[in-house]
mmCIF file with all atom_site columns, all heavy atoms in Angstrom:
data_model
loop_
_atom_site.group_PDB
_atom_site.id
_atom_site.type_symbol
_atom_site.label_atom_id
_atom_site.label_alt_id
_atom_site.label_comp_id
_atom_site.label_asym_id
_atom_site.label_entity_id
_atom_site.label_seq_id
_atom_site.pdbx_PDB_ins_code
_atom_site.Cartn_x
_atom_site.Cartn_y
_atom_site.Cartn_z
_atom_site.occupancy
_atom_site.B_iso_or_equiv
_atom_site.pdbx_formal_charge
_atom_site.auth_seq_id
_atom_site.auth_comp_id
_atom_site.auth_asym_id
_atom_site.auth_atom_id
_atom_site.pdbx_PDB_model_num
ATOM 1   N N   . ARG F 1 170 ? -96.699  114.600 22.793 1.00 0.00 ? 170 ARG F N   1
ATOM 2   C CA  . ARG F 1 170 ? -97.420  113.717 22.003 1.00 0.00 ? 170 ARG F CA  1
ATOM 3   C C   . ARG F 1 170 ? -98.883  113.596 22.347 1.00 0.00 ? 170 ARG F C   1
ATOM 4   O O   . ARG F 1 170 ? -99.758  113.482 21.380 1.00 0.00 ? 170 ARG F O   1
ATOM 5   C CB  . ARG F 1 170 ? -96.765  112.334 22.064 1.00 0.00 ? 170 ARG F CB  1
ATOM 6   C CG  . ARG F 1 170 ? -95.365  112.223 21.407 1.00 0.00 ? 170 ARG F CG  1
ATOM 7   C CD  . ARG F 1 170 ? -94.844  110.820 21.188 1.00 0.00 ? 170 ARG F CD  1
ATOM 8   N NE  . ARG F 1 170 ? -94.839  110.041 22.488 1.00 0.00 ? 170 ARG F NE  1
ATOM 9   C CZ  . ARG F 1 170 ? -93.674  110.031 23.274 1.00 0.00 ? 170 ARG F CZ  1
ATOM 10  N NH1 . ARG F 1 170 ? -92.634  110.799 22.972 1.00 0.00 ? 170 ARG F NH1 1
ATOM 11  N NH2 . ARG F 1 170 ? -93.723  109.318 24.338 1.00 0.00 ? 170 ARG F NH2 1
ATOM 12  N N   . VAL F 1 171 ? -99.236  113.704 23.615 1.00 0.00 ? 171 VAL F N   1
ATOM 13  C CA  . VAL F 1 171 ? -100.596 113.627 24.054 1.00 0.00 ? 171 VAL F CA  1
ATOM 14  C C   . VAL F 1 171 ? -101.368 114.899 23.480 1.00 0.00 ? 171 VAL F C   1
ATOM 15  O O   . VAL F 1 171 ? -102.372 114.931 22.935 1.00 0.00 ? 171 VAL F O   1
ATOM 16  C CB  . VAL F 1 171 ? -100.691 113.635 25.549 1.00 0.00 ? 171 VAL F CB  1
ATOM 17  C CG1 . VAL F 1 171 ? -102.121 113.852 25.982 1.00 0.00 ? 171 VAL F CG1 1
ATOM 18  C CG2 . VAL F 1 171 ? -100.309 112.204 26.090 1.00 0.00 ? 171 VAL F CG2 1
ATOM 19  N N   . LEU F 1 172 ? -100.555 116.208 23.605 1.00 0.00 ? 172 LEU F N   1
ATOM 20  C CA  . LEU F 1 172 ? -101.120 117.355 23.055 1.00 0.00 ? 172 LEU F CA  1
ATOM 21  C C   . LEU F 1 172 ? -101.458 117.134 21.527 1.00 0.00 ? 172 LEU F C   1
ATOM 22  O O   . LEU F 1 172 ? -102.445 117.690 21.095 1.00 0.00 ? 172 LEU F O   1
ATOM 23  C CB  . LEU F 1 172 ? -100.172 118.502 23.428 1.00 0.00 ? 172 LEU F CB  1
ATOM 24  C CG  . LEU F 1 172 ? -100.579 119.858 22.912 1.00 0.00 ? 172 LEU F CG  1
ATOM 25  C CD1 . LEU F 1 172 ? -101.865 120.356 23.627 1.00 0.00 ? 172 LEU F CD1 1
ATOM 26  C CD2 . LEU F 1 172 ? -99.555  120.845 23.164 1.00 0.00 ? 172 LEU F CD2 1
ATOM 27  N N   . ARG F 1 173 ? -100.488 116.676 20.808 1.00 0.00 ? 173 ARG F N   1
ATOM 28  C CA  . ARG F 1 173 ? -100.688 116.596 19.577 1.00 0.00 ? 173 ARG F CA  1
ATOM 29  C C   . ARG F 1 173 ? -101.862 115.608 19.077 1.00 0.00 ? 173 ARG F C   1
ATOM 30  O O   . ARG F 1 173 ? -102.649 115.964 18.093 1.00 0.00 ? 173 ARG F O   1
ATOM 31  C CB  . ARG F 1 173 ? -99.343  116.096 18.765 1.00 0.00 ? 173 ARG F CB  1
ATOM 32  C CG  . ARG F 1 173 ? -99.371  115.806 17.226 1.00 0.00 ? 173 ARG F CG  1
ATOM 33  C CD  . ARG F 1 173 ? -99.322  117.056 16.373 1.00 0.00 ? 173 ARG F CD  1
ATOM 34  N NE  . ARG F 1 173 ? -100.749 117.738 16.370 1.00 0.00 ? 173 ARG F NE  1
ATOM 35  C CZ  . ARG F 1 173 ? -100.934 118.833 15.717 1.00 0.00 ? 173 ARG F CZ  1
ATOM 36  N NH1 . ARG F 1 173 ? -99.888  119.305 15.000 1.00 0.00 ? 173 ARG F NH1 1
ATOM 37  N NH2 . ARG F 1 173 ? -102.036 119.414 15.673 1.00 0.00 ? 173 ARG F NH2 1
ATOM 38  N N   . HIS F 1 174 ? -102.039 114.598 19.728 1.00 0.00 ? 174 HIS F N   1
ATOM 39  C CA  . HIS F 1 174 ? -102.992 113.596 19.407 1.00 0.00 ? 174 HIS F CA  1
ATOM 40  C C   . HIS F 1 174 ? -104.373 114.227 19.785 1.00 0.00 ? 174 HIS F C   1
ATOM 41  O O   . HIS F 1 174 ? -105.369 113.955 19.192 1.00 0.00 ? 174 HIS F O   1
ATOM 42  C CB  . HIS F 1 174 ? -102.714 112.353 20.269 1.00 0.00 ? 174 HIS F CB  1
ATOM 43  C CG  . HIS F 1 174 ? -103.879 111.272 20.182 1.00 0.00 ? 174 HIS F CG  1
ATOM 44  N ND1 . HIS F 1 174 ? -103.978 110.520 18.953 1.00 0.00 ? 174 HIS F ND1 1
ATOM 45  C CD2 . HIS F 1 174 ? -104.894 110.916 20.873 1.00 0.00 ? 174 HIS F CD2 1
ATOM 46  C CE1 . HIS F 1 174 ? -104.952 109.698 19.144 1.00 0.00 ? 174 HIS F CE1 1
ATOM 47  N NE2 . HIS F 1 174 ? -105.595 109.897 20.245 1.00 0.00 ? 174 HIS F NE2 1
ATOM 48  N N   . ALA F 1 175 ? -104.417 114.960 20.987 1.00 0.00 ? 175 ALA F N   1
ATOM 49  C CA  . ALA F 1 175 ? -105.696 115.530 21.382 1.00 0.00 ? 175 ALA F CA  1
ATOM 50  C C   . ALA F 1 175 ? -106.253 116.659 20.515 1.00 0.00 ? 175 ALA F C   1
ATOM 51  O O   . ALA F 1 175 ? -107.385 116.903 20.486 1.00 0.00 ? 175 ALA F O   1
ATOM 52  C CB  . ALA F 1 175 ? -105.544 116.071 22.870 1.00 0.00 ? 175 ALA F CB  1
ATOM 53  N N   . LEU F 1 176 ? -105.340 117.469 19.805 1.00 0.00 ? 176 LEU F N   1
ATOM 54  C CA  . LEU F 1 176 ? -105.652 118.527 18.921 1.00 0.00 ? 176 LEU F CA  1
ATOM 55  C C   . LEU F 1 176 ? -105.135 118.426 17.573 1.00 0.00 ? 176 LEU F C   1
ATOM 56  O O   . LEU F 1 176 ? -104.273 119.081 17.169 1.00 0.00 ? 176 LEU F O   1
ATOM 57  C CB  . LEU F 1 176 ? -105.224 119.859 19.590 1.00 0.00 ? 176 LEU F CB  1
ATOM 58  C CG  . LEU F 1 176 ? -105.728 120.133 21.064 1.00 0.00 ? 176 LEU F CG  1
ATOM 59  C CD1 . LEU F 1 176 ? -105.054 121.364 21.594 1.00 0.00 ? 176 LEU F CD1 1
ATOM 60  C CD2 . LEU F 1 176 ? -107.200 120.256 21.114 1.00 0.00 ? 176 LEU F CD2 1
ATOM 61  N N   . PRO F 1 177 ? -105.611 117.297 16.877 1.00 0.00 ? 177 PRO F N   1
ATOM 62  C CA  . PRO F 1 177 ? -104.959 116.996 15.607 1.00 0.00 ? 177 PRO F CA  1
ATOM 63  C C   . PRO F 1 177 ? -104.856 117.994 14.571 1.00 0.00 ? 177 PRO F C   1
ATOM 64  O O   . PRO F 1 177 ? -104.206 117.961 13.622 1.00 0.00 ? 177 PRO F O   1
ATOM 65  C CB  . PRO F 1 177 ? -105.523 115.611 15.298 1.00 0.00 ? 177 PRO F CB  1
ATOM 66  C CG  . PRO F 1 177 ? -106.946 115.744 15.917 1.00 0.00 ? 177 PRO F CG  1
ATOM 67  C CD  . PRO F 1 177 ? -106.697 116.402 17.232 1.00 0.00 ? 177 PRO F CD  1
ATOM 68  N N   . ASP F 1 178 ? -106.004 118.863 14.524 1.00 0.00 ? 178 ASP F N   1
ATOM 69  C CA  . ASP F 1 178 ? -106.280 119.742 13.577 1.00 0.00 ? 178 ASP F CA  1
ATOM 70  C C   . ASP F 1 178 ? -105.687 121.194 13.757 1.00 0.00 ? 178 ASP F C   1
ATOM 71  O O   . ASP F 1 178 ? -105.939 122.056 12.956 1.00 0.00 ? 178 ASP F O   1
ATOM 72  C CB  . ASP F 1 178 ? -107.738 119.830 13.124 1.00 0.00 ? 178 ASP F CB  1
ATOM 73  C CG  . ASP F 1 178 ? -108.259 118.419 12.817 1.00 0.00 ? 178 ASP F CG  1
ATOM 74  O OD1 . ASP F 1 178 ? -107.542 117.718 12.098 1.00 0.00 ? 178 ASP F OD1 1
ATOM 75  O OD2 . ASP F 1 178 ? -109.483 118.153 13.198 1.00 0.00 ? 178 ASP F OD2 1
ATOM 76  N N   . VAL F 1 179 ? -105.157 121.298 14.948 1.00 0.00 ? 179 VAL F N   1
ATOM 77  C CA  . VAL F 1 179 ? -104.564 122.689 15.287 1.00 0.00 ? 179 VAL F CA  1
ATOM 78  C C   . VAL F 1 179 ? -103.157 122.883 14.860 1.00 0.00 ? 179 VAL F C   1
ATOM 79  O O   . VAL F 1 179 ? -102.341 121.951 15.317 1.00 0.00 ? 179 VAL F O   1
ATOM 80  C CB  . VAL F 1 179 ? -104.704 122.928 16.723 1.00 0.00 ? 179 VAL F CB  1
ATOM 81  C CG1 . VAL F 1 179 ? -104.063 124.248 17.162 1.00 0.00 ? 179 VAL F CG1 1
ATOM 82  C CG2 . VAL F 1 179 ? -106.218 122.794 17.170 1.00 0.00 ? 179 VAL F CG2 1
ATOM 83  N N   . PRO F 1 180 ? -102.778 123.815 14.046 1.00 0.00 ? 180 PRO F N   1
ATOM 84  C CA  . PRO F 1 180 ? -101.333 124.022 13.726 1.00 0.00 ? 180 PRO F CA  1
ATOM 85  C C   . PRO F 1 180 ? -100.604 124.292 15.013 1.00 0.00 ? 180 PRO F C   1
ATOM 86  O O   . PRO F 1 180 ? -100.856 125.096 15.906 1.00 0.00 ? 180 PRO F O   1
ATOM 87  C CB  . PRO F 1 180 ? -101.390 125.332 12.870 1.00 0.00 ? 180 PRO F CB  1
ATOM 88  C CG  . PRO F 1 180 ? -102.720 125.383 12.320 1.00 0.00 ? 180 PRO F CG  1
ATOM 89  C CD  . PRO F 1 180 ? -103.659 124.775 13.313 1.00 0.00 ? 180 PRO F CD  1
ATOM 90  N N   . MET F 1 181 ? -99.407  123.515 15.156 1.00 0.00 ? 181 MET F N   1
ATOM 91  C CA  . MET F 1 181 ? -98.638  123.580 16.312 1.00 0.00 ? 181 MET F CA  1
ATOM 92  C C   . MET F 1 181 ? -97.117  123.682 15.893 1.00 0.00 ? 181 MET F C   1
ATOM 93  O O   . MET F 1 181 ? -96.696  122.894 15.113 1.00 0.00 ? 181 MET F O   1
ATOM 94  C CB  . MET F 1 181 ? -98.755  122.369 17.267 1.00 0.00 ? 181 MET F CB  1
ATOM 95  C CG  . MET F 1 181 ? -100.105 122.339 17.880 1.00 0.00 ? 181 MET F CG  1
ATOM 96  S SD  . MET F 1 181 ? -100.038 121.006 19.173 1.00 0.00 ? 181 MET F SD  1
ATOM 97  C CE  . MET F 1 181 ? -101.783 120.711 19.370 1.00 0.00 ? 181 MET F CE  1
ATOM 98  N N   . LEU F 1 182 ? -96.530  124.674 16.397 1.00 0.00 ? 182 LEU F N   1
ATOM 99  C CA  . LEU F 1 182 ? -95.093  124.943 16.188 1.00 0.00 ? 182 LEU F CA  1
ATOM 100 C C   . LEU F 1 182 ? -94.176  124.785 17.415 1.00 0.00 ? 182 LEU F C   1
ATOM 101 O O   . LEU F 1 182 ? -94.570  125.427 18.408 1.00 0.00 ? 182 LEU F O   1
ATOM 102 C CB  . LEU F 1 182 ? -94.796  126.327 15.594 1.00 0.00 ? 182 LEU F CB  1
ATOM 103 C CG  . LEU F 1 182 ? -95.735  126.829 14.501 1.00 0.00 ? 182 LEU F CG  1
ATOM 104 C CD1 . LEU F 1 182 ? -95.338  128.238 14.092 1.00 0.00 ? 182 LEU F CD1 1
ATOM 105 C CD2 . LEU F 1 182 ? -95.522  125.892 13.269 1.00 0.00 ? 182 LEU F CD2 1
#
Side-chain angles (χ1 to χ4, degrees):
R170 293 193 299 273
V171 168
L172 178 65
R173 176 71 285 181
H174 180 76
L176 305 172
D178 299 322
V179 177
M181 293 189 199
L182 312 175

